[in-house]
């Protein structure tokens, strides 16, 4: 049985800041670097393009999860920043757990 889907946390916006996005975003034709705030993130840290077909596919495919979002925004930013570092071109291969 699948876990119930999580809703975005109000006042978070981590998924619109931490990861890089290489595809065009309205207002950011070359995407955005990791750590940069997406221009489509509003003052309440909600995506202006949510549900809009112009929203990049990578954004639509990133769904909130307990492991990613954790108990607070700090956890989400750390988790996504770590994932970004591990998946960036030229990143060292992850070490197997000891």
């Amino acid at each position: 049985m699948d876990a119930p889907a999580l809703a975005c946390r109000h006042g978070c916006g981590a998924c619109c800041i931490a990861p890089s996005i290489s595809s065009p975003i309205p207002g950011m034709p070359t995407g955005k670097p990791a750590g940069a705030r997406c221009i489509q993130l509003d003052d309440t840290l909600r995506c202006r393009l949510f549900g809009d077909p112009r929203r990049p596919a990578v954004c639509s495919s990133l769904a909130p999860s307990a492991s990613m979002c954790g108990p607070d925004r700090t956890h989400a930013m750390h988790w996504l920043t770590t994932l970004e570092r591990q998946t960036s071109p030229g990143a060292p291969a992850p070490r197997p757990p000891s």
Side-chain angles (χ1 to χ4, degrees), residues 17-86:
I17 299 169
S20 61
I21 299 174
S22 58
S23 55
I25 303 165
M28 299 178 102
T30 60
K32 67 170 224 52
R37 182 185 174 103
C38 178
I39 198 168
Q40 296 300 332
L41 193 60
D42 70 17
D43 291 340
T44 63
L45 299 174
R46 305 295 278 184
C47 177
R48 290 184 183 100
L49 296 178
F50 193 84
D52 185 314
R54 297 173 301 153
R55 187 174 180 217
V58 67
C59 299
S60 298
S61 70
L62 185 60
S65 69
S67 60
M68 177 176 80
C69 300
D72 54 36
R73 182 177 191 268
T74 300
H75 173 95
M77 286 294 292
H78 176 73
W79 195 94
L80 287 162
T81 300
T82 299
L83 180 65
E84 176 69 28
R85 261 191 307 247
Q86 291 173 343

